[in-house]
Amino acid sequence: MADETTAPDIPTQLEALEREAEAQLSACAADADFNEWRTTYLGRSGKVTQLLRGLGGLPKEERPRIGQLANTVKQRLAAALEAQQAQLRRNEHAEALKAEALDVTLPGEPVRAGQLHPITQVLNEILGIFERMGFHVVEGPEVEWDRYNFALLNIPADHPARDMWDTFYVDAEPVSNLGSMLLRTHTSPVQVRVMEETPPPVRIVAPGRVYRNEATDASHEAIFYQIEGLAVDDRINMGDLKGVLTAFARQLFGGKTRVRFNCSYFPFVEPGAEVSISCHVCSGNGCRVCKQTGWLEILGCGIVHPNVLRAVNYDPEKYSGFAFGLGVERIAMLKYGIDDIRYFYGNDIRFLEQFR
Ligand code: PHE
């Protein structure tokens, strides 16, 4: 019977077709390939369907078995297609991840942050030292009256001591009692302003800008920073001043620093002194920085003059005090070995960046 001889052919052909389809499928690498493959093998006029056209020639009882077999093959191929597509998507995903891969251990792009100016850094360091010794930070005006800058500091008008400060006067009418308006030549007027408003005891440091009408050179600027110090209480004496300034110098320049007091004159203190520290570069042996003297002068100080106490209605029989004034740039220059004050205000980033 012709029908019976063709019947085993269809399963064999199906098997061969399935092998072929699988081989083609494994070569598919893109959505277009899959679409073409689906049309070729599983489509309405695809190869499996075409093969089933021969079903009609089979004996009736054979047809369901072969038909079922063909459906199973179709299902397997459809499942294989799905699996292969899923695999492709997984591969693509893995590749995308790889492309986006981020090495979190690489050092980041540096962010160029700003920094505090070296003078601000030194200023903060100095204030910190005095704050830890119990001094409060206060500020006063940069535009001052003659009365505070000079008169109440025991420097009357026409006193020759005024020659110590080259002053910028403001072109304004003098006011009775207050005198002329000027840019303060030192932070000492803050002493008076604080004592006027506060009964003793007083313990303050006053940072700020001061102005001198002088030519600029390696050690002079017309605008610079000072820090004033003032302590008033009963029985404050030279020993307290020496103790406080020695502790200060050792914190700023190192524990082995020696401190020297030389007599000096400032109208608002009596006695007055200039303070030097042993040169931290050569330990006092003599070098270029200390000009072979072994000593570096860092500030002026003294015991508050009774006339100054009287001027703010403090009783000099009951109270005494010490005061000091230091130039911040000078201290910074000594600390960092800078030989020209003009670097601080030249705005050269190569200089400033060294103080990060
Ligand atoms: N005001 C003085 C100056 O600028 C420094 C100083 C302050 C001296 C306090 C003694 C006491 O030169």
Side-chain angles (χ1 to χ4, degrees):
M1 285 150 78
D3 288 342
E4 277 167 354
T5 51
T6 49
D9 249 9
I10 293 188
T12 310
Q13 284 179 57
L14 265 175
E15 206 187 306
L17 190 56
E18 191 175 0
R19 295 287 91 77
E20 177 197 317
E22 281 168 352
Q24 293 297 315
L25 182 61
S26 63
C28 289
D31 284 340
D33 299 341
F34 289 127
N35 289 338
E36 199 185 316
W37 183 90
R38 196 202 323 269
T39 316
T40 307
Y41 294 100
L42 302 177
R44 270 205 282 163
S45 45
K47 290 192 175 181
V48 178
T49 313
Q50 261 164 30
L51 194 66
L52 290 181
R53 295 244 163 86
L55 217 57
L58 293 178
K60 239 187 178 145
E61 60 281 11
E62 286 284 318
R63 286 181 205 164
R65 189 177 64 84
I66 305 296
Q68 216 171 14
L69 187 65
N71 273 335
T72 315
V73 168
K74 270 186 149 180
Q75 275 164 18
R76 276 204 301 265
L77 288 178
L81 172 65
E82 233 170 75
Q84 179 79 0
Q85 281 179 313
Q87 183 60 44
L88 178 75
R89 276 193 298 274
R90 275 195 298 275
N91 289 349
E92 283 172 349
H93 188 60
E95 255 162 54
L97 276 182
K98 223 166 142 191
E100 286 172 17
L102 184 71
D103 182 352
V104 293
T105 67
L106 278 177
E109 291 274 330
V111 177
R112 281 180 64 93
Q115 61 173 96
L116 293 179
H117 190 279
I119 292 303
T120 309
Q121 292 183 35
V122 173
L123 195 97
N124 288 343
E125 190 180 351
I126 295 172
L127 291 178
I129 292 170
F130 286 109
E131 281 180 295
R132 288 190 290 278
M133 287 195 271
F135 288 76
H136 285 266
V137 177
V138 298
E139 286 181 300
E142 291 175 26
V143 181
E144 255 304 0
W145 298 107
D146 182 298
R147 177 178 166 87
Y148 292 102
N149 196 81
F150 294 125
L152 292 178
L153 286 166
N154 200 31
I155 317 169
D158 306 320
H159 194 282
R162 291 207 176 195
D163 290 350
M164 292 169 76
W165 295 277
D166 304 295
T167 310
F168 286 113
Y169 286 92
V170 175
D171 198 3
E173 280 300 304
V175 174
S176 65
N177 278 330
L178 297 173
S180 303
M181 193 186 277
L182 48 84
L183 301 184
R184 67 178 177 191
T185 60
H186 51 182
T187 44
S188 298
V190 186
Q191 289 185 34
V192 180
R193 286 182 172 274
V194 168
M195 288 190 285
E196 260 189 354
E197 301 204 330
T198 330
V202 161
R203 226 181 297 164
I204 57 106
V205 273
R209 244 187 299 225
V210 301
Y211 303 82
R212 304 253 173 116
N213 186 5
E214 57 193 335
T216 297
D217 65 24
S219 48
H220 297 90
E221 275 278 11
I223 304 175
F224 58 101
Y225 280 82
Q226 283 191 337
I227 295 177
E228 193 79 11
L230 173 71
V232 183
D233 206 339
D234 61 350
R235 289 191 296 266
I236 287 220
N237 60 36
M238 202 68 188
D240 299 312
L241 175 60
K242 290 175 88 167
V244 165
L245 292 182
T246 303
F248 158 69
R250 290 190 176 153
Q251 285 185 59
L252 196 63
F253 288 100
K256 295 203 169 75
T257 307
R258 281 165 297 133
V259 177
R260 185 182 76 174
F261 287 68
N262 281 61
C263 283
S264 185
Y265 174 69
F266 300 95
F268 33 90
V269 289
E270 179 59 36
E274 257 158 28
V275 173
S276 307
I277 55 166
S278 52
C279 179
H280 59 291
V281 177
C282 62
S283 309
N285 295 322
C287 69
R288 258 181 53 218
V289 175
C290 59
K291 302 201 179 76
Q292 310 305 327
T293 64
W295 295 97
L296 301 165
E297 196 193 308
I298 59 164
L299 57 84
C301 64
I303 296 298
V304 180
H305 197 289
N307 286 350
V308 177
L309 296 178
R310 261 182 228 111
V312 295
N313 291 319
Y314 278 18
D315 181 356
E317 301 301 322
K318 258 173 98 179
Y319 295 106
S320 57
F322 65 71
F324 59 87
L326 57 84
V328 182
E329 286 81 357
R330 173 153 174 85
I331 300 251
M333 287 166 78
L334 295 176
K335 194 168 159 66
Y336 294 113
I338 297 162
D339 58 11
D340 195 320
I341 193 173
R342 291 167 293 195
Y343 283 127
F344 290 120
Y345 304 110
N347 272 339
D348 187 333
I349 204 86
R350 294 167 302 178
F351 172 77
L352 296 172
E353 274 182 345
Q354 296 177 48
F355 298 89
R356 281 191 178 281

